[in-house]
Amino acid sequence: MSGSAVKVIGFFDSPFSHRAEAALCLKGVPYELIQEKDLRNKSELLLQHNPVHKKVPVLLHGDRRAVCESLVIVEYVDEAFQGPPLLPADPADRAAARFWARFIDDKVTVNPVRLTSQVSSGSFEVVNRDRSNGVHVPGRRQCSKAFWLAMWTEGEVQRGFVKEIKENLKLLEGQVKGKRFFGGDAVGYLDVAASAFAHWLPVCEEVAGVSLVTAEEYPDLCRWAKEYTSHDAVKRCLPDREELLARFSARKDSFVAMARSMAPAPEK
Amino acid sequence: MAGEKKQGLQLLGFWVSPFGQRCRIALDEKGLSYEYLEQDLANKSELLLRANPVHKKIPVLLHDGRPVCESLIIVQYLDEAFPAMPALLPAGDPYARAQARFWADYVDKKLYDCGTRLWKLKGDGHAQARTEMVEILRTLEGALGEGRFFGGEAFGFVDVALVPFTSWFLAYEWFGDLSVEKECPRLAAWAKRCAERPSVAKNLYPPEKVYESICGMKKRLGIE
């Protein structure tokens, strides 16, 4: 089975898509990349292979049905292929890596791609403004939207989200203190999970004109970001920074408009 | 407290939490003895706050004092730290394991939030939650397929992830005006099958108790 052809359905802008590719590159597994052109207009191939979530990335391995969800894909790649292990050997260390990866996805994720495609398809809601009883129902994933809002809103609204994000980033940084990578001496599962902070976050900061993560405040995180993005295997599957910057810059106005519509209504 | 070495397994939980119940079921399925420590979530203990400083939530597993947090992560930890049969994740089959992780993640992403919206919201929000709940249950039934359990013949990871929510089906039915039996007969049959297992029978509360507890929550939140 491990000799069968591997394909990834991905999207240039997506850090989640990168996770799948990074896992394969780190294991030295050759694969064919099939890029979605526009996530607001998804291909038949994607919809066929991920009917449940309709999202990238999707991993196709031989004639088996698809593996979906980026972190599930990373663990699958770790188990299905030879090569350096991505998760640590010790069960408690594995649990810790999974915990922090989940923390990243629940609390701090940077994904303008997923958010914008959700908003334009109408499937996104930060706060449910059901007026009949005025009850706000934050979903488990609301916290991750805070990062997006921290980037693209202004003034008092922005300050609140920035504070929350900075606290969460400090917690995450604690996991890489004194180590070259989250995984220790080698790049691992948690590095791949955190990759959005290494490559996408600086691009978003540049487009938004905000500075959330500085070397002064986050010396370990910034050092790690340089290590990660210059790693030989990882470099091969990171989207070109200039092109990413151009693509996000072109959509800045829509990001700002979306953030404004997503921000909670001011307290009465 | 300092210098006292904790041995063995302890689980910090809250009686009605389906997330805590996942861990209890997994511990029992694997034949592991543990000390259960019921937590007061309105008045969180030093132990809980030390064990889970990031989220301050249950469940938390302590293994010789070292904490593991997040229910599905705890269940995987138990499988990996205690690899003796029965394995909850199918051993030696990366693809089957990936499918199991995918569906457990699906339960996590979808079911509890949708259920919460079902009992909290009215009007359009409620109608949307109801539609979603039926879709979620049907999707899960599709994943179950013709098997006795989600992994096939053996009770496993996805079953553990989902089964505590079967106590919530009655509440979903009441608040959503729907019938699991009618919408998803195979899922309803799976729930009955699971309920016969000692680990499940011992650790789940009767659906009526769950329903009462939700009514209590609604009252406290001032929701009619």
Side-chain angles (χ1 to χ4, degrees), chain B residues 58-214:
Chain B
I58 59 94
V60 180
L61 180 84
L62 294 164
H63 188 187
D64 293 338
R66 186 170 175 179
V68 181
C69 306
E70 297 292 312
S71 61
L72 292 181
I73 293 174
I74 291 170
V75 174
Q76 285 193 87
Y77 172 78
L78 290 170
D79 222 25
E80 293 174 352
F82 301 97
M85 297 291 281
L88 292 170
L89 273 161
D93 185 345
Y95 182 74
R97 292 162 71 82
Q99 293 307 307
R101 288 185 179 117
F102 174 87
W103 285 110
D105 176 71
Y106 179 85
V107 174
D108 253 14
K109 276 185 165 82
K110 298 280 190 181
L111 194 55
Y112 191 71
D113 286 351
C114 183
T116 301
R117 279 183 280 124
L118 203 55
W119 62 259
K120 267 191 177 174
L121 301 180
K122 295 200 163 27
D124 287 346
H126 179 267
Q128 192 189 337
R130 189 199 179 278
T131 306
E132 264 183 61
M133 179 54 73
V134 172
E135 190 189 316
I136 289 166
L137 293 172
R138 284 197 185 139
T139 303
L140 286 168
E141 188 177 62
L144 175 63
E146 300 299 324
R148 279 173 53 78
F149 300 107
F150 279 86
E153 280 307 299
F155 183 83
F157 191 63
V158 183
D159 306 283
V160 171
L162 181 58
V163 78
F165 291 95
T166 58
S167 294
W168 295 63
F169 282 177
L170 181 73
Y172 297 158
E173 288 176 336
W174 271 100
F175 290 113
D177 185 28
L178 56 96
S179 160
V180 177
E181 180 83 48
K182 209 168 101 191
E183 300 285 351
C184 308
R186 270 184 289 122
L187 195 66
W190 164 85
K192 285 199 182 81
R193 202 174 295 130
C194 290
E196 290 162 8
R197 298 181 79 80
S199 67
V200 175
K202 181 180 154 228
N203 291 302
L204 260 45
Y205 279 87
E208 294 76 16
K209 277 241 164 277
V210 172
Y211 178 72
E212 263 174 45
S213 139
I214 296 174

Side-chain angles (χ1 to χ4, degrees), chain A residues 52-53 64-66 69 72 75-76 79 91-95 98-99 102 128 130 132-133 137 140, chain B residues 54-55 66 70 73 76-77 80 94-95 97-99 101-103 105-106 108-109 113 120-122:
Chain A
V52 173
H53 296 304
R64 302 203 105 152
R65 277 183 312 164
E69 289 301 293
V72 174
E75 287 216 43
Y76 173 75
E79 294 178 353
D93 293 336
R94 293 164 75 89
R98 288 175 179 134
F99 174 87
R102 191 165 163 144
N128 188 308
D130 185 305
S132 60
N133 62 5
V137 187
R140 203 191 71 196
Chain B
V54 174
H55 299 302
R66 186 170 175 179
E70 297 292 312
I73 293 174
Q76 285 193 87
Y77 172 78
E80 293 174 352
Y95 182 74
R97 292 162 71 82
Q99 293 307 307
R101 288 185 179 117
F102 174 87
W103 285 110
D105 176 71
Y106 179 85
D108 253 14
K109 276 185 165 82
D113 286 351
K120 267 191 177 174
L121 301 180
K122 295 200 163 27

Side-chain angles (χ1 to χ4, degrees), chain A residues 39 49 120 127:
Chain A
L39 291 184
H49 286 295
S120 51
V127 175

Side-chain angles (χ1 to χ4, degrees), chain A residues 188-264:
Chain A
Y189 172 87
L190 190 49
D191 299 277
V192 170
S195 52
F197 301 109
H199 193 64
W200 279 259
L201 173 59
V203 171
C204 287
E205 286 178 307
E206 194 173 325
V207 174
V210 303
S211 180
L212 286 178
V213 177
T214 62
E216 290 74 37
E217 276 191 86
Y218 298 93
D220 296 285
L221 204 58
C222 291
R223 175 192 46 77
W224 164 80
K226 285 199 183 72
E227 291 269 20
Y228 183 79
T229 53
S230 54
H231 185 279
D232 280 331
V234 166
K235 259 195 317 212
R236 270 181 263 139
C237 56
L238 280 173
D240 177 74
R241 193 191 189 278
E242 289 313 306
E243 193 175 338
L244 200 61
L245 184 65
R247 287 163 75 105
F248 282 8
S249 300
R251 291 160 66 193
K252 183 180 176 181
D253 288 345
S254 73
F255 291 167
V256 172
M258 232 168 284
R260 279 211 193 104
S261 71
M262 277 156 52

